[in-house]
Amino acid sequence: VMLLYLVLLRKLIMASVVLERAKKELGVGVLNSLSDEWQRRIVSGYSDENEAITALAAIAKYRKQLPPRVHRDTLAIVCECMQSVAGGYDENGHLIWLERIKNPQTLLQLKSSDVIKARILVTEAMEALKKKGQYKHVYILDLKQCDPTMIRQKKIRILASRIIHLGEKYYPAGIHQIYVINAPIFIRTLYAVLRPFIHINTRKKITFLSSKNYLTYLQKKKC
């Protein structure tokens, strides 16, 4: 208990130091453009003070530009290929975000920048459903309908890495756990390709579950 207390105290002290530095280096206006919850979230996502301050500046600028403008047809195509559903909350109040990937090759007919803009809208919609004070979520990725040919398409791999980058750069500390279900064997190969682009802290939270036992596993986890 004492060790946990000391760890929490250290985090609080670091957060205070980082935010004071940010006021001086970035200006009060930049910091005040972010809610207190976003400030805490960003600082908690970095162990290095300089990285945290850089992230505060980048995310403040990013959030000022929201929401991006996306044609409704583009949004419809993206939402059909990446079907997102909010599945309630786990016992700790984490939002459960279930996403089913279907025919991702269809996304190739769109500009990658438009796909990212549509992704931002979906992510913001999920963020809005999170309970106050609980900014983490459980992400369940269903890959049952993925086509093996997608692994050979460089554009798909690049797009996937850009979506991962978006989440890690502008929505730090948002992941509680990631569960990948119904993943065909070739997905493991694709994951090996994308793995270097995924932050080590995020990689530690990824669990691949077999199609036979994932329901039992998630029930035990109360997801």
Side-chain angles (χ1 to χ4, degrees):
V1 176
M2 181 60 70
L3 180 59
L4 178 60
Y5 172 77
L6 291 174
V7 171
L8 291 174
L9 181 61
R10 181 177 178 277
K11 287 184 177 180
L12 288 173
I13 293 173
M14 179 189 169
S16 178
V17 170
V18 169
L19 292 175
E20 281 301 315
R21 273 191 59 191
K23 284 181 183 179
K24 295 176 182 179
E25 296 179 20
L26 304 179
V28 177
V30 172
L31 205 58
N32 288 346
S33 69
L34 294 166
S35 67
D36 290 342
E37 186 165 316
W38 265 102
Q39 291 178 30
R40 291 194 301 271
R41 173 176 176 172
I42 295 166
V43 172
S44 71
Y46 295 88
S47 57
D48 181 85
E49 288 185 22
N50 293 326
E51 288 182 357
I53 291 173
T54 299
L56 283 164
I59 294 172
K61 181 179 179 180
Y62 167 79
R63 299 202 65 77
K64 281 183 179 180
Q65 299 170 348
L66 296 178
R69 298 183 65 179
V70 184
H71 193 281
R72 63 182 181 182
D73 290 342
T74 297
L75 183 60
I77 292 172
V78 173
C79 289
E80 176 61 25
C81 295
M82 306 168 70
Q83 301 172 355
S84 287
V85 177
Y89 304 87
D90 69 6
E91 62 178 348
N92 296 312
H94 301 119
L95 175 73
I96 299 174
W97 176 355
L98 171 63
E99 187 160 54
R100 182 178 292 108
I101 305 301
K102 181 180 179 182
N103 299 325
Q105 294 89 337
T106 308
L107 297 174
L108 298 180
Q109 65 183 273
L110 305 173
K111 291 182 179 178
S112 60
S113 58
D114 287 340
V115 174
I116 296 301
K117 289 177 183 177
R119 182 63 176 181
I120 290 171
L121 292 181
V122 173
T123 303
E124 285 295 315
M126 289 297 174
E127 288 287 330
L129 294 174
K130 293 181 178 180
K131 294 182 177 181
K132 187 174 182 180
Q134 183 53 275
Y135 47 76
K136 293 182 180 294
H137 65 269
V138 175
Y139 181 61
I140 303 175
L141 180 62
D142 187 349
L143 299 175
K144 186 177 182 178
Q145 299 186 52
C146 283
D147 189 322
T149 60
M150 64 178 282
I151 196 173
R152 296 194 294 270
Q153 299 186 46
K154 184 177 180 180
K155 289 184 178 179
I156 289 289
R157 299 197 299 271
I158 292 174
L159 186 58
S161 66
R162 287 192 63 185
I163 290 173
I164 292 169
H165 176 73
L166 171 73
E168 293 189 334
K169 183 174 182 178
Y170 296 115
Y171 300 90
I175 297 290
H176 176 60
Q177 289 291 331
I178 298 175
Y179 298 110
V180 182
I181 63 176
N182 295 319
I185 295 176
F186 74 89
I187 288 296
R188 301 285 183 141
T189 305
L190 179 59
Y191 176 66
V193 173
L194 296 175
R195 195 172 185 275
F197 301 99
I198 303 174
H199 193 281
I200 186 171
N201 291 336
T202 302
R203 294 202 301 261
K204 291 178 180 178
K205 299 175 181 179
I206 298 175
T207 302
F208 281 82
L209 301 177
S210 73
S211 58
K212 294 181 180 179
N213 66 8
Y214 76 86
L215 284 176
T216 302
Y217 184 92
L218 293 177
Q219 285 170 355
K220 288 181 179 179
K221 291 289 184 178
K222 297 187 177 181
C223 290

